[in-house]
Amino acid sequence: MNHKISKLWTNLSASLFSNIDDNFVNKFREPGGVNSRLAAWDPFDPTMRYYKLMLFNAAMRWPDHAYDLYQQVGNTNTGNPVTVRVKGLDINLDYLFSIDEYMFLESFMDIQSVDNIIEIGAGFGRTCHALLELIPNLKSYTIVDLPELLELSAKVLARVSPNHFDKITFINASVENDWLNISGDLVINVDSFQEMPPETIDKYISSIVSKSNFFYINNPIGKYLPQSVGITDP
């Protein structure tokens, strides 16, 4: 009696593995190739399973304190993000970063004594939202950003943090005179300085950061060929 083979591998054998020549052996482990059928994963996998696995593992490394903080933030799912369920909470990557940032600040300074925060480049406002909820005595939070992003963050923050919305000031980054002379207890920049010209960064440093008490910056630096991460378009 012949061993029964699944329809899946009958089709794969007849298509992907029908011609195992030298050229096949030289390339079969390249991304997007047949190795996704042989090994554990492919970086171009069209599903979210590996992303969710990494998100889940990151959340599982948290101390118990982090879950309490995440729950305290409240509505973290505006915009319908991808989430994983960990210890009864639906956790998404944006607010996972927010909690990590808060715990870092908490470990190096008396974050609860901060009165005024300035954020340069706030995106949709997730850091502002988290800190407003986690520092209830915060007096003011100023966002300096491009007008299109200010419109988004204002709408999101009005929805997710209505009890603290009156503490937020929105300043148009393209109108330099509006932010040249502001200062705060803490200045924050997350994932945006690397997208600015050096002269713009210098202006923010000299006009805002240098006049403030603390500065938190978290920007990735990557040096790589675009092709090495799957970017083929010029």
Side-chain angles (χ1 to χ4, degrees):
M1 179 181 295
N2 292 332
H3 182 68
K4 188 174 182 179
I5 301 173
S6 69
K7 290 182 179 180
L8 171 64
W9 272 98
T10 298
N11 292 333
L12 291 176
S13 297
S15 56
L16 300 181
F17 299 97
S18 62
N19 185 26
I20 303 178
D21 55 14
D22 287 344
N23 186 57
F24 181 97
V25 174
N26 289 338
K27 297 182 178 181
F28 80 98
R29 294 177 66 192
E30 291 182 355
V34 301
N35 198 43
S36 61
R37 295 296 182 179
L38 301 173
W41 73 296
D42 187 319
F44 293 157
D45 182 81
T47 73
M48 289 185 289
R49 54 184 170 173
Y50 301 115
Y51 172 83
K52 286 194 169 189
L53 176 62
M54 290 187 287
L55 178 57
F56 180 82
N57 286 339
M60 285 295 292
R61 296 189 186 100
W62 267 354
D64 291 340
H65 175 53
Y67 299 104
D68 295 335
L69 294 172
Y70 196 96
Q71 191 167 26
Q72 186 179 332
V73 171
N75 179 9
T76 62
N77 289 330
T78 294
N80 196 29
V82 176
T83 65
V84 293
R85 189 77 170 170
V86 183
K87 296 190 178 182
L89 298 173
D90 293 323
I91 294 178
N92 65 75
L93 186 63
D94 295 309
Y95 282 89
L96 181 141
F97 288 154
S98 292
I99 298 304
D100 283 345
E101 290 154 6
Y102 176 85
M103 290 192 297
F104 177 89
L105 292 170
E106 186 180 47
S107 68
F108 282 95
M109 61 185 293
D110 183 7
I111 189 64
Q112 291 297 326
S113 69
V114 169
D115 288 331
N116 309 292
I117 295 177
I118 299 170
E119 184 173 5
I120 302 168
F124 71 84
R126 55 100 169 163
T127 306
C128 177
H129 173 209
L131 295 182
L132 285 171
E133 300 299 330
L134 297 175
I135 311 173
N137 294 324
L138 190 66
K139 293 179 181 178
S140 69
Y141 199 110
T142 301
I143 293 175
V144 182
D145 213 335
L146 299 175
E148 296 80 6
L149 275 299
L150 291 179
E151 182 179 2
L152 173 63
S153 60
K155 289 181 177 179
V156 171
L157 289 165
R159 181 182 301 186
V160 300
S161 195
N163 295 332
H164 299 288
F165 189 75
D166 60 348
K167 299 178 182 179
I168 309 171
T169 300
F170 299 91
I171 296 180
N172 185 346
S174 62
V175 183
E176 190 173 295
N177 288 336
D178 288 353
W179 51 263
L180 275 178
N181 296 310
I182 64 174
S183 63
D185 295 330
L186 171 64
V187 177
I188 295 174
N189 178 263
V190 177
D191 291 344
S192 63
F193 268 9
Q194 84 272 14
E195 300 169 353
M196 300 179 189
E199 57 270 25
T200 301
I201 299 172
D202 290 342
K203 181 69 73 172
Y204 280 128
I205 295 293
S206 62
S207 63
I208 298 178
V209 175
S210 64
K211 299 174 185 177
S212 302
N213 298 326
F214 295 94
F215 179 40
Y216 173 79
I217 181 170
N218 187 350
N219 284 270
I221 298 176
K223 296 181 179 179
Y224 52 80
L225 292 172
Q227 295 88 343
S228 71
V229 292
I231 300 173
T232 57
D233 293 334

